[in-house]
Amino acid sequence: MSEAREIRLGVLGCGTVGTSFCQLIADQAEVIEARTGIRLRVVSVSVRDLAKPRAGVDASLLTTDSAALVSDPGVDLVVETMGGVEGTRELVLAALRAGKPVVTANKALLAAHGPELYAAADEANVDIGFEAAVAAGIPLIGPLRESLVGEDISRVMGILNGTTNYILSQMTEKGADYADALADAQALGYAEADPTADVEGHDAAAKASILATLAFGRSVLGDDVHTEGISKITAEDIDDADRRGFVIKLLGVVERFDDGSIGARVFPAMVPKLHPLAAVRDSFNAVFVEGVGIDQVMLYGRGAGGHPTAAMVVGDTVNAAMNLVAKTHRRVVNLGPAVVRPVEDIESAFFVSLEVADEPGVLAAIANEFGEHMVSISSMEQEDLESTARLLFITHHAVESNFRATLTGIEALPAVKSVGRVLRVIGS
Ligand code: NAP
Ligand code: HSE
């Protein structure tokens, strides 16, 4: 048997993911060597605070000088588990330009600067691996770049954030309070350093942009993604959905339309309880990939957490190390910027609740607004309150701008006291 080739790793950041990564390398290096002929060894780890305890990580490897770690000739490959955008971008570019492959779990970085970093990796003939950046512990990027490389993909849709799925599951199943569920998700290591990124949908939007870029070969940035989060979802919304046979999930949907334009959206949606995504609970994520040949593929796994995420970082590191030895790399195809279709021009089914005067003619006036704007009603229910009534509508698919115009018309009717929650409905 030929002698193993040693690849020396510099790790930027040693928090939830970085610590698990270092532990996994220590535990699995022998197995990896036996399977691939590559010996991985962590030689340097950068952090902000040298005094913080880091279980299973050799303290003598720690440094606060990330730039020196990247430029160290004793580091062959850089693993970025530090987070952050500016500053991190410069470090990653420096590594790539020095001919060092980079593996990153950082979706915010790729959503802002992906095309530049992919091009730099291509130029240097090294890999940039980012399996863990989109669905943490689900192998999703590998299948998209390899198994599905010849597939004409039309849509990728799924639950892309572990923190929000955990929060919604706790609220739905245990009646948990939103703030308590978020605090739990933070304690479990699921949330971003600033959890606003999770609950306001920005983390899922960053992931959706990476998926759209990969699936359609056109660069879609995080800012191109229409983004709504879950921070306004209440126990009443969850109850409304539940009584009609739905659960609420934060979804990311990227799709390519017949004219070549791309839709990219993140939003809380009502999903029928019998839909496979409704059964995805806790910090699990699941992603549907739809294409001409494959019909549908669904991938499922832990969408957050140190160990599952680090497992994907290890896989990328092994692949990048093997390609480094072979002096080759896998390209991220980029045919230029996408034409992104505005959300107003995309069709969805909608749920809306209204509080109205309980009087003759009110329902007819409201139904008239739907009809005037070409929005077809799929179902309507009335709940009687003390002196008013709640009307709950679900529509058939309608262009979003037509639905919004309907709401404007309804709001102006004298009998309408208030327009309540509006949610898109998926999969019914
Ligand atoms: P974390 O626990 O906050 O860890 C960040 C680490 O980076 C810490 O060790 C921190 O040092 C270090 N660091 C931050 N800024 C630094 C700087 N300027 N110089 C040197 N070190 C610095 O974060 P995490 O949850 O592991 O997430 C890391 C990355 O993985 C993020 O991009 C995140 O989006 C991504 N990710 C996380 C998960 C997850 O479930 N947590 C899943 C998928 C992807 P100190 O320890 O000294 O503060
Ligand atoms: N904060 C992210 C989440 C980590 O909750 O999904 C995984 O990307």
Side-chain angles (χ1 to χ4, degrees), residues 190-382:
Y190 300 156
E192 295 302 301
D194 175 2
T196 315
D198 296 293
V199 297
E200 296 302 350
H202 303 303
D203 178 81
K207 295 165 175 175
S209 76
I210 298 167
L211 284 178
T213 301
L214 275 187
F216 309 127
R218 295 264 169 199
S219 53
V220 175
L221 299 178
D223 287 346
D224 295 325
V225 181
H226 172 83
T227 306
E228 299 168 31
I230 65 156
S231 62
K232 294 191 178 67
I233 298 295
T234 62
E236 185 183 43
D237 299 326
I238 287 174
D239 191 48
D240 275 342
D242 180 52
R243 281 186 290 126
R244 279 152 199 90
F246 293 88
V247 291
I248 297 179
K249 295 287 184 191
L250 184 71
L251 298 186
V253 183
V254 299
E255 53 204 322
R256 198 188 49 219
F257 300 105
D258 289 344
D259 64 357
S261 65
I262 289 170
R265 298 175 293 163
V266 166
F267 51 85
M270 282 183 24
V271 177
K273 286 179 185 172
L274 288 178
H275 192 282
L277 288 176
V280 178
R281 303 169 47 249
D282 199 72
S283 69
F284 282 93
N285 285 185
V287 182
F288 276 101
V289 182
E290 297 174 0
V292 174
I294 54 167
D295 194 3
Q296 282 192 329
V297 169
M298 182 173 164
L299 298 138
Y300 170 85
R302 283 278 178 202
H307 208 116
T309 308
M312 295 302 117
V313 179
V314 169
D316 267 352
T317 304
V318 173
N319 287 335
M322 290 175 76
N323 279 346
L324 181 66
V325 171
K327 296 187 171 44
T328 185
H329 74 290
R330 184 170 280 274
R331 295 179 59 206
V332 177
V333 176
N334 188 352
L335 305 172
V339 175
V340 179
R341 186 178 284 204
V343 67
E344 297 77 24
D345 297 346
I346 299 178
E347 285 190 9
S348 302
F350 295 92
F351 164 88
V352 60
S353 70
L354 311 173
E355 188 177 343
V356 303
D358 200 358
E359 293 166 358
V362 172
L363 187 55
I366 290 169
N368 185 52
E369 289 296 332
F370 278 102
E372 286 270 304
H373 294 98
M374 305 297 294
V375 180
S376 171
I377 296 165
S378 169
S379 69
M380 195 286 291
E381 279 179 62
Q382 174 163 342

Side-chain angles (χ1 to χ4, degrees), residues 165-178:
N165 205 46
Y166 177 84
I167 294 172
L168 291 171
S169 299
Q170 293 290 308
M171 288 173 76
T172 305
E173 294 163 23
K174 300 193 176 150
D177 176 68
Y178 172 87

